[in-house]
Amino acid sequence: MKYTGMGVGLGVAAGPVKRMAHTVPEPTGGPSTLPKDVEIERAKRALDAVAAELEHRAQRSEGAAAEVLSAQVMMVQDPDVWDEIEASIEEGKSAEWAAHSSFESMAGILKSLGGTQAERAVDLIDIGWRTVATLMGVPYGVIPVSDEPFVLVADDLSPADTAVLDLTQVAALVTSGGSPTAHTAILARARGLVAVVSASGVLDIPDDTIVIVDAATGTVDSEPSAEQVEQVKSQRTESADDAPASPGRTSDGTAIPLLANVGSVADAKEALAKGAEGVGLLRTEFLFLGASEQPSVETQATEYTEIVAALGGQKVTARTLDAGADKPLPFLNLGHEENPALGVRGIRTGIKDESLLKNQLEALVQTQNAGVGELWVMAPMIADAAEAEWFVKHARAAGLNKVGVMIEVPSCALVAEDVYKVVDFVSIGTNDLTQYTMAADRQNGAVAGYQDAWHPAVLRLIGMVGAAATKAKKPLSVCGEAASDPLLALVLVGLGVTSLSMTPNALRDVRSTLVRYSIDEVRELANLAVAAGTAAGAREAVRAGLPRPPR
Ligand code: PEP
Ligand code: MG
């Protein structure tokens, strides 16, 4: 039998099914036998424990995983949820029931909003069950163990569990609920996990049934032949040994270099091993997140040079410190801000404290002149052409050769033609561009549904920058999460993007998708996406408009 859902990425995997055990009994709504202050204390402790566990997982994760888990921590600490829990306990209910019903009712509100908001409901339900399990002292969502890699089948795996899944154990993930833009799917993509979500009926597949999970077609086949299973298994081994990968290009030969986003030497090595053609985003602030003092020019130069050297001569695009908001650097002492995402962050920290920027530029010049590889340098969070010019002037005065800016603020996209007059290149940060276009804090789980770069409003802004890049005949990269979604990557190229930078795990799928379509075909797909009314509409229009399947 074939079950159909929605694939995440393009991978294929085979293995025996193991279903996730549900172990937490549903709390009853009867009156509590404990005093109210005891129940309140129990609820508080349980929420603190859940927040601490999610925080711990966030610290062990990176990129999208860390962001999603941090957003969940904020949901646990949401004062509105606490008010509801406290009110239920005051009415005489147990902490278990109060927590369960409060998170369920918040999830119900999100569900009733529909669309991508509804997809976040699972995050709240997950937190509710996690809290109940903590209160009852029972394990929550036990992931099965097995001697051989298996296909994990669940109702809807939580983001917290997806982030820490052991990839040597789990060959693929299949859920009956969820959607391709829910956090779980985003994390699966970032981790390179083969996944099919929203495949109804899969919970009926008995444990140990051998299945083939094909993300490209979004199917789960529970009756494959032994030959098909063998073919899938050998295919996976071959593609794992695929290096060196061919350069990114469209079917008719337009070169689209596929680059990696990195934050450390280890990331850089992984990127190279996975066939990256260079680094499109070195997040320099990641090197200094734990530093209590501003790192010296020498320390910085050593770190940057090591990373450039690790790339074996390929281009590295370093971004100057993008501190503030979601990436606080202790030595900056930015003080309290009501709206940190709209406050002193990115280049604004360098404008406020010029010595910080000057030191970093000096270190980058030392790396450039060390002769170990090619270095491009760009600044984050540039608001307009004047700010771009200010940065370029400082960078050139320091001695840097290739200088560009990130476009992450809508104002900057709107004046992209003027920006291109003063820079050598541009890279679009779609994570922030989406946050600011949609006016939705990317760290706030309650508005996470707006954080979807497929939204035609975001795509139209990218199209404006693409047109400016074409006119200026200068490079345009995308280094936000959007570049790692194979179908969205097609749209970006169709909008005029000339290179894509992503989490190394996404390189293979983006490369193999891009090479199937010509430049005219991806332009046509971009037109379909831009003409849509919603993010979901754009995604659907592109899926339906593909002249042939992605694999
Ligand atoms: C972005 O905003 O898309 C980006 C690449 O920068 P960061 O995620 O580090 O803010
Ligand atoms: Mg950004």
Side-chain angles (χ1 to χ4, degrees):
M1 168 143 187
K2 264 201 178 160
Y3 299 83
T4 306
M6 282 181 263
V8 176
L10 298 172
V12 58
V17 161
K18 298 274 175 217
R19 282 173 299 180
M20 184 133 161
H22 287 276
T23 49
V24 189
E26 189 155 344
T28 56
S32 164
T33 50
L34 297 170
K36 286 175 186 166
D37 55 341
V38 174
E39 289 287 24
I40 285 182
E41 194 52 36
R42 290 181 67 232
K44 259 194 197 137
R45 275 173 198 247
L47 287 174
D48 285 350
V50 170
E53 167 62 17
L54 292 169
E55 184 67 55
H56 178 64
R57 290 185 187 209
Q59 276 161 7
R60 279 193 293 154
S61 313
E62 48 186 47
E67 271 179 31
V68 168
L69 293 169
S70 301
Q72 274 203 312
V73 173
M74 289 179 68
M75 291 181 191
V76 182
Q77 293 164 338
D78 185 339
D80 288 345
V81 175
W82 176 250
D83 288 349
E84 218 174 306
I85 293 176
E86 210 174 12
S88 286
I89 294 177
E90 288 299 341
E91 279 169 21
K93 306 289 186 191
S94 68
E96 283 86 345
W97 195 88
H100 179 64
S101 65
S102 302
F103 282 108
E104 287 275 336
S105 90
M106 295 288 276
I109 295 172
L110 286 190
K111 274 188 191 158
S112 69
L113 293 174
T116 40
Q117 290 294 334
E119 289 164 5
R120 309 300 164 204
V122 63
D123 295 14
L124 283 164
I125 292 170
D126 169 58
I127 295 169
W129 280 113
R130 229 167 248 287
T131 312
V132 174
T134 307
L135 282 161
M136 291 181 174
V138 298
Y140 170 69
V142 182
I143 308 253
V145 279
S146 163
D147 292 339
E148 57 171 333
F150 59 89
V151 173
L152 179 63
V153 175
D155 173 10
D156 199 352
L157 197 66
S158 72
D161 285 329
T162 313
V164 294
L165 274 188
D166 178 355
L167 296 186
T168 59
Q169 276 277 299
V170 179
L173 168 66
V174 176
T175 63
S176 60
S179 81
T181 51
H183 283 149
T184 302
I186 291 170
L187 296 190
R189 181 179 296 117
R191 302 200 65 204
L193 183 63
V194 176
V196 170
V197 300
S198 199
S200 68
V202 287
L203 290 172
D204 299 337
I205 308 176
D207 273 2
D208 298 321
T209 310
I210 304 289
V211 297
I212 291 180
V213 182
D214 187 341
T217 54
T219 55
V220 180
D221 186 351
S222 63
E223 289 161 347
S225 67
E227 213 180 356
Q228 286 171 314
V229 171
E230 261 331 293
Q231 201 187 348
V232 167
K233 285 190 173 163
S234 57
Q235 209 174 316
R236 276 188 76 71
T237 327
E238 266 168 38
S239 50
D241 299 339
D242 226 359
S246 52
R249 62 175 181 88
T250 58
S251 64
D252 51 347
T254 305
I256 306 290
L258 301 181
L259 314 167
N261 294 350
V262 305
S264 66
V265 180
D267 286 356
K269 289 182 179 160
E270 185 197 350
L272 199 61
K274 293 197 164 140
E277 296 169 64
V279 165
L281 172 63
L282 162 59
R283 290 182 162 107
T284 58
E285 65 282 354
F286 277 19
L287 295 164
F288 308 114
L289 284 179
S292 51
E293 284 175 25
Q294 191 187 134
S296 68
V297 172
E298 289 67 36
T299 307
Q300 293 191 48
T302 308
E303 297 264 7
Y304 306 149
T305 307
E306 213 183 324
I307 290 176
V308 176
L311 259 292
Q314 290 186 343
K315 178 186 82 176
V316 172
T317 311
R319 169 174 77 184
T320 56
L321 288 180
D322 184 21
D326 54 330
K327 287 164 275 193
L329 287 181
F331 59 82
L332 281 185
N333 297 323
L334 291 174
H336 173 76
E337 290 182 308
E338 283 301 329
N339 291 302
L342 302 180
V344 183
R345 63 163 293 199
I347 191 62
R348 296 170 190 181
T349 58
I351 294 173
K352 194 169 166 223
D353 177 359
E354 271 194 40
S355 70
L356 184 75
L357 181 67
K358 273 181 104 174
N359 284 348
Q360 186 170 30
L361 293 176
E362 200 182 320
L364 287 164
V365 169
Q366 286 185 15
T367 296
Q368 171 190 277
N369 296 343
V372 291
E374 190 181 347
L375 181 70
W376 292 22
V377 174
M378 63 186 183
M381 295 288 298
I382 294 289
D384 58 22
E387 212 163 74
E389 195 171 15
W390 180 89
F391 173 71
V392 171
K393 194 181 80 192
H394 279 75
R396 293 217 196 286
L400 288 165
N401 297 332
K402 275 278 190 186
V403 184
V405 295
M406 287 186 74
I407 291 193
E408 319 185 78
V409 183
S411 59
C412 203
L414 292 166
V415 296
E417 272 199 30
D418 296 334
V419 172
Y420 263 112
K421 287 181 188 147
V422 296
V423 299
D424 295 326
F425 69 95
V426 165
S427 184
I428 303 179
T430 46
N431 307 337
D432 277 314
L433 186 62
T434 309
Q435 145 166 277
Y436 296 124
T437 304
M438 305 304 293
D441 185 341
R442 64 194 258 197
Q443 284 194 285
N444 182 347
V447 291
Y450 293 97
Q451 188 68 25
D452 190 340
W454 274 96
H455 198 287
V458 179
L459 297 178
R460 286 179 206 185
L461 285 172
I462 296 172
M464 292 180 75
V465 186
T470 309
K471 188 168 170 199
K473 298 195 179 62
K474 289 182 181 175
L476 171 61
S477 185
V478 164
C479 61
E481 275 292 306
S484 63
D485 173 338
L487 292 190
L488 189 47
L490 297 178
V491 171
L492 296 174
V493 174
L495 291 172
V497 169
T498 58
S499 71
L500 297 161
S501 191
M502 63 202 78
T503 171
N505 274 331
L507 287 163
R508 195 183 63 193
D509 284 354
V510 172
R511 182 185 299 115
S512 64
T513 307
L514 192 58
V515 78
R516 290 188 54 76
Y517 305 98
S518 70
I519 194 78
D520 284 342
E521 285 170 343
V522 298
R523 284 185 185 139
E524 203 37 57
L525 293 172
N527 288 340
L528 293 174
V530 163
T534 60
R539 193 181 276 108
E540 215 21 69
V542 168
R543 267 187 199 276
L546 287 171
R548 66 197 73 83
R551 184 166 59 79

